[in-house]
Amino acid sequence: MGDMIGAGEIVSAVSNVLVAGMQYRQAADDRRAAATERRETQAHEEELERLRSDNLREEARLKRQLAQEQASRQEADRRTQVQMKIDLKYYPFHGLPGSIRENLELEYRDLSQKPLLALLMPDAHQEGSPWHGLRGRVRGDLGSYEQSDLLRVLFTDRHFAWPHARLYDNDLRDLPALIIETSHDMYLLDVRIGGCHLNAGRGGSRIQASQQVYVLRFPARTAWTPERVETLNRTASAREAFPLPMPTSDAELMEVNRELASRIVALCVVAAMDGFHLLHRQTYDEHFDKAAEATGLCDDDWPVDLGVPAHMAADPTYHLLHIAERHLGRGATRTALDTVTEAVGQSHSAFLTDKHRDKARYLLGRLPETNDTRALLTRLDARSRAAPAPAAASHPVRPTRTAPGAHSRDLYDKHEYDPAGDPLGTGDGVT
């Protein structure tokens, strides 16, 4: 019995040990599971905390960015308001920038078909001076070119310095334009011209800075003679109804000098206009000589090619014929004949148009008849019997011819024409 009891106790003890071991393992497993759960919970909480931190940082960044954008918009609005006030007070045209371009688009729709712009700015000290209204006279002198769609004259409302970035960006971008600035007192006239988009895409800057092109010292009363006053009257639109008088007083001298000043400014504009159209148009009839005669300054100070060498012109042959006409007007008949010969000869690869032939025949008719002139006329007749050339893509303009004018180097004490000036930006000087 005692042995039986002993064996049962042993079994019980073993059983207890096994149970205790299982309980220990279960407890260990429970502890491990709890530790794992705690680690996972901690990791999850740490991830949530990291995400919360990231979200807070992103929120703070977005708030800073939003604040910066709001500050930038507020600063831009403030600058816009300040710039608007400045523009309303100082912009070359009244109204907001861009309004002139909008007006031109209303007038022409396709701005590529718009004629060359000429912006005449007022003198910085013109109000109340004897020169007030000079721009109106200049515009009147340029009226025939506006009617022929060669030019579009606009008055700026304020004086400004060119180049002018805001004027270019808002109103003149991609538009060919001349900027004309004058300054004058009782004794001196100074003309400056700049512009943009004038060089027909031949390279170089799209902006031509303002530069001096003409300086005139007004003549004294004793320098005016009846012949010189008659030259001005002969080329004036109101010469019969309102002829200019011989100046016998300071007031009359001022009137004659005002007339001379307006024609000088118009001459400078016409020179730049001719240069522009020479670079762009076929069979372009140049107007400089007529405008020069209207000033009464029919001397030979300007270059015969008007600063545009023949090889740079859109129609070198027709330009050469105008150059020949100027040589002829200056009495250089041999040079004129050589230039006509060059013009006819260099067109060997293309047929001459009727305008080319008519111009060449007109010049040959003014030259002494020689074997050379007869040979050229024969060549022109042979060209006229050949197949016709395609129609020239040029605007129809009535040809102008230079009337004879008297030389007048002593018309005033001093005048200066700057043939080295290059407002068109062609890069070529006088040849």
Side-chain angles (χ1 to χ4, degrees):
M1 188 70 175
D3 293 337
M4 294 294 291
I5 295 173
E9 291 177 349
I10 291 172
V11 171
S12 177
V14 171
S15 176
N16 290 337
V17 169
L18 293 174
V19 171
M22 293 178 62
Q23 290 176 344
Y24 178 80
R25 284 196 298 273
Q26 182 64 39
D29 291 341
D30 291 344
R31 287 194 297 273
R32 283 194 295 273
T36 300
E37 184 178 358
R38 285 195 301 273
R39 286 194 299 273
E40 291 176 350
T41 301
Q42 182 178 3
H44 182 65
E45 290 177 349
E46 289 175 353
E47 180 65 17
L48 290 177
E49 182 63 27
R50 186 185 65 79
L51 292 174
R52 282 194 296 269
S53 298
D54 289 345
N55 289 338
L56 289 174
R57 285 194 295 271
E58 181 65 15
E59 182 181 3
R61 186 188 69 80
L62 291 175
K63 287 182 177 179
R64 289 194 301 270
Q65 181 179 346
L66 179 60
Q68 291 173 354
E69 290 175 353
Q70 289 176 341
S72 297
R73 284 195 297 270
Q74 291 174 354
E75 177 64 16
D77 291 342
R78 186 190 69 81
R79 288 177 177 271
T80 299
Q81 294 297 323
V82 172
Q83 186 64 59
M84 186 180 298
K85 292 179 180 178
I86 294 174
D87 287 339
L88 290 174
K89 188 174 182 180
Y90 297 107
Y91 196 71
F93 293 97
H94 291 160
L96 295 178
S99 58
I100 294 301
R101 190 181 186 91
E102 291 176 358
N103 293 342
L104 290 172
E105 289 174 347
L106 287 175
E107 183 175 359
Y108 294 100
R109 294 192 179 183
D110 183 3
L111 291 184
S112 65
Q113 303 301 317
K114 174 199 60 57
L116 175 66
L117 281 179
L119 305 187
L120 298 178
M121 68 174 74
D123 188 282
H125 307 288
Q126 192 180 57
E127 290 294 334
S129 75
W131 298 106
H132 182 64
L134 178 64
R135 290 189 303 170
R137 288 181 176 232
V138 174
R139 185 171 190 174
D141 291 333
L142 298 174
S144 62
Y145 310 114
E146 285 196 287
Q147 294 172 3
S148 301
D149 284 335
L150 298 175
L151 197 67
R152 176 74 161 83
V153 180
L154 295 177
F155 289 170
T156 67
D157 297 304
R158 298 183 180 94
H159 187 272
F160 61 95
W162 179 259
H164 192 291
R166 286 186 61 76
L167 176 62
Y168 177 80
D169 289 339
N170 291 281
D171 286 296
L172 300 182
R173 185 181 63 259
D174 301 326
L175 300 181
L178 298 171
I179 314 299
I180 299 95
E181 177 184 6
T182 61
S183 61
H184 27 60
D185 54 25
M186 297 293 291
Y187 309 103
L188 196 70
L189 170 70
D190 181 20
V191 184
R192 303 179 65 87
I193 294 182
C196 57
H197 302 292
L198 299 172
N199 54 11
R202 299 171 185 266
S205 174
R206 66 183 184 277
I207 305 293
Q208 286 75 43
S210 178
Q211 60 180 296
Q212 185 183 79
V213 295
Y214 209 107
V215 176
L216 169 70
R217 187 174 297 279
F218 293 112
R221 190 191 312 169
T222 55
W224 287 100
T225 64
E227 293 76 18
R228 290 166 182 163
V229 175
E230 192 277 332
T231 299
L232 292 182
N233 282 326
R234 175 164 43 84
T235 55
S237 58
R239 59 185 178 273
E240 295 181 359
F242 305 104
L244 290 168
M246 268 294 298
T248 58
S249 65
D250 290 342
E252 291 177 342
L253 177 62
M254 174 61 69
E255 174 59 21
V256 174
N257 283 342
R258 278 167 58 91
E259 182 67 22
L260 177 62
S262 69
R263 304 217 190 161
I264 289 293
V265 178
L267 173 64
C268 295
V269 176
V270 170
M273 178 192 76
D274 273 356
F276 171 79
H277 289 301
L278 281 171
L279 296 177
H280 290 79
R281 295 193 178 209
Q282 298 286 325
T283 59
Y284 173 73
D285 291 296
E286 300 165 27
H287 298 269
F288 177 85
D289 304 277
K290 182 178 179 181
E293 185 202 3
T295 66
L297 307 178
C298 295
D299 48 27
D300 301 334
D301 283 8
W302 54 83
V304 291
D305 62 2
L306 305 185
V308 180
H311 71 275
M312 295 189 65
D315 189 341
T317 299
Y318 207 61
H319 187 33
L320 278 172
L321 293 174
H322 281 85
I323 293 173
E325 186 171 14
R326 294 189 184 99
H327 283 306
L328 187 58
R330 298 178 184 186
T333 56
R334 182 70 245 182
T335 305
L337 177 59
D338 291 342
T339 307
V340 175
T341 304
E342 179 184 359
V344 175
Q346 79 166 9
S347 61
H348 63 277
S349 60
F351 295 109
L352 294 175
T353 66
D354 288 341
K355 288 194 69 172
H356 290 93
R357 289 193 296 272
D358 291 344
K359 184 75 172 178
R361 289 192 184 100
Y362 164 73
L363 294 175
L364 292 172
R366 293 176 57 186
L367 289 167
E369 185 177 357
T370 63
N371 291 334
D372 292 333
T373 59
R374 285 192 292 270
L376 283 175
L377 287 171
T378 301
R379 291 178 63 182
L380 290 171
D381 291 338
R383 292 287 177 84
S384 65
R385 291 191 294 269
S394 63
H395 191 279
V397 180
R398 180 178 298 174
T400 59
R401 293 170 180 167
T402 304
H407 289 253
S408 54
R409 293 184 180 278
D410 58 341
L411 177 62
Y412 38 78
D413 298 331
K414 175 185 177 182
H415 99 274
E416 175 184 346
Y417 177 80
D418 180 13
D422 188 22
L424 292 177
T426 60
D428 285 75
V430 181
T431 58

